[in-house]
Amino acid sequence: MSDATDPWLIVGLGNPGPEYAANRHNVGFMVADLLATRIGGKFKRAQKAQAQVVEGRIGPPGPGSRRVVLAKPMSYMNLSGGPVTALRDFYKVPTDHIVAIHDELDVDYGMLRLKLGGGDNGHNGLKSMTKSMGPDYHRVRFGIGRPPGRMQVADFVLKDFGSVERKELAFLVDRAADSVECLLAEGLERAQSAYNS
């Protein structure tokens, strides 16, 4: 069982490379980048995994502060489980101290849903993580909504956010980062009541 001194592994899911940077599928990377800025760190290549990491602390100084490893797997979305498992093992992180931040089709754009465990809902990043280490990790589900008309899901998630969506995106990414900090500082129930919409 985990305790308050165990580190947390915060994983933003996405695809590496500039051509994917602004895609809906990369909103997990966007939130991870903001969290890294907040703790004053820069991502660097991990020693033991195909990922970029930043180590630091989240929360107020003192006993409320949490040791964190922020990570962005560099393996492409559908292979995220390998790097995340390698980081979990290297940093000795209990599975219930892992948070995956990811895009979610079945939640309206900009809405958040925090949860512990559950299925992958067809999300390839979650599918890979669950296959590697089981489902008992936290998820911060960032709503992107469903594709319009007959657009294929794969095409929709690999497109950049639309111009109307981009007007709110910075605010929504900021709110998602806040929800991660709340989860670590105050627990899942408090974070759900504050941020689930």
Side-chain angles (χ1 to χ4, degrees), residues 3 11 47 65 72 92-93 120-121 143 169 176 186 189 194 197:
D3 67 39
V11 182
Q47 295 294 314
S65 173
K72 298 191 296 185
K92 299 181 172 51
V93 179
D120 57 56
N121 205 22
L169 186 59
E186 302 183 52
E189 281 187 26
S197 43

Side-chain angles (χ1 to χ4, degrees), residues 61-133:
S65 173
R66 300 283 180 261
R67 188 158 66 95
V68 297
V69 179
L70 301 173
K72 298 191 296 185
M74 293 286 118
S75 56
Y76 291 98
M77 182 70 86
N78 60 349
L79 300 171
S80 300
V84 175
T85 303
L87 292 169
R88 178 199 67 180
D89 294 347
F90 179 71
Y91 289 101
K92 299 181 172 51
V93 179
T95 303
D96 68 352
H97 273 211
I98 297 172
V99 181
I101 308 164
H102 63 92
D103 58 304
E104 177 59 60
L105 288 159
D106 286 336
V107 176
D108 289 342
Y109 174 64
M111 301 289 107
L112 294 175
R113 295 275 197 291
L114 283 75
K115 62 185 268 193
L116 174 62
D120 57 56
N121 205 22
H123 191 287
N124 288 330
L126 297 183
K127 195 175 292 184
S128 178
M129 283 180 62
T130 297
K131 186 177 176 189
S132 291
M133 60 189 190

Side-chain angles (χ1 to χ4, degrees), residues 18-58:
E19 68 272 32
Y20 298 107
N23 288 180
R24 292 181 178 92
H25 223 19
N26 271 43
V27 75
F29 275 17
M30 297 173 197
V31 177
D33 285 337
L34 178 56
L35 286 166
T37 300
R38 287 183 180 185
I39 66 173
K42 282 196 170 19
F43 278 100
K44 61 184 190 304
R45 187 179 302 206
Q47 295 294 314
K48 302 290 183 182
Q50 192 179 356
Q52 292 183 352
V53 295
V54 176
E55 296 179 53
R57 299 191 82 83
I58 284 180

Side-chain angles (χ1 to χ4, degrees), residues 108-172:
D108 289 342
Y109 174 64
M111 301 289 107
L112 294 175
R113 295 275 197 291
L114 283 75
K115 62 185 268 193
L116 174 62
D120 57 56
N121 205 22
H123 191 287
N124 288 330
L126 297 183
K127 195 175 292 184
S128 178
M129 283 180 62
T130 297
K131 186 177 176 189
S132 291
M133 60 189 190
D136 299 325
Y137 53 91
H138 289 86
R139 298 105 192 274
V140 174
R141 304 160 72 204
F142 186 109
I144 61 168
R146 302 293 305 183
R150 298 187 176 184
M151 185 187 288
Q152 294 295 309
V153 165
D155 295 332
F156 180 67
V157 299
L158 293 175
K159 278 200 178 340
D160 291 357
F161 285 101
S163 57
V164 174
E165 293 170 321
R166 283 199 299 273
K167 289 178 182 167
E168 288 187 286
L169 186 59
F171 166 77
L172 297 170

Side-chain angles (χ1 to χ4, degrees), residues 178-195:
D178 289 347
S179 79
V180 173
E181 293 185 348
C182 182
L183 169 63
L184 270 57
E186 302 183 52
L188 179 61
E189 281 187 26
R190 182 63 197 268
Q192 286 174 323
S193 67
Y195 292 95

